[in-house]
Amino acid sequence: MIAVDENALICDFAETYNIYDYRSLPVKLAATYSAGLRENSRIKMRLRGDTLGDSDRSLMAMIYDALAMLGWIGDGEPPSMLKAMYGELPEAPTATKEIKSFDTPEDYERARKEMIERRK
């Protein structure tokens, strides 16, 4: 655990056990404490590669997806909450907008007046 993310382990020890210097502990005691950390502790999440934190959120997202499927009217499947939480949704096409910049306030005011005139 120390090799993976020592800072996460330090934070978890401080939060869970109010231990701010784990190195002052005997090795077996530190190992026992680390094994006793909750499943959504920083270090255990890091070791699992989990970015969401706890299985409850994932379970709720799965339930949401199942219910959304029941009421879905349309082609294909509704967007998945679980996939969105893990960042697996396809990128939505973004509209490209032309960005304009101006060198002087006068240039800005001139362009602004032209835009107002075009809208009339």
Side-chain angles (χ1 to χ4, degrees):
M1 290 182 174
I2 294 169
V4 172
D5 192 348
E6 184 178 17
N7 290 331
L9 186 63
I10 291 169
C11 288
D12 288 337
F13 271 30
E15 179 182 19
T16 307
Y17 306 114
N18 292 324
I19 296 172
Y20 300 100
D21 183 16
Y22 76 91
R23 293 178 185 199
S24 65
L25 300 173
V27 174
K28 285 188 177 185
L29 184 59
T32 301
Y33 283 159
S34 64
L37 290 170
R38 66 191 191 291
E39 287 305 310
N40 64 345
S41 66
R42 293 167 188 85
I43 190 64
K44 287 192 176 183
M45 285 176 18
R46 178 74 190 247
L47 290 171
R48 282 194 312 265
D50 191 1
T51 56
L52 294 179
D54 57 37
S55 58
D56 290 346
R57 283 191 218 166
S58 298
L59 182 60
M60 294 295 277
M62 286 184 233
I63 292 169
Y64 174 88
D65 286 346
L67 289 173
M69 184 66 78
L70 290 175
W72 180 252
I73 299 173
D75 296 333
E77 297 179 353
S80 168
M81 178 67 72
L82 188 65
K83 287 181 180 180
M85 288 168 58
Y86 281 101
E88 297 175 8
L89 287 179
E91 291 289 325
T94 57
T96 57
K97 293 184 178 179
E98 183 180 333
I99 298 175
K100 295 183 180 181
S101 63
F102 306 98
D103 295 326
T104 65
E106 292 80 22
D107 291 343
Y108 168 76
E109 287 298 329
R110 191 176 317 112
R112 182 175 171 267
K113 286 179 184 176
E114 289 173 7
M115 187 183 331
I116 292 170
E117 289 297 321
R118 279 186 294 203
R119 290 187 180 177
K120 289 183 179 179

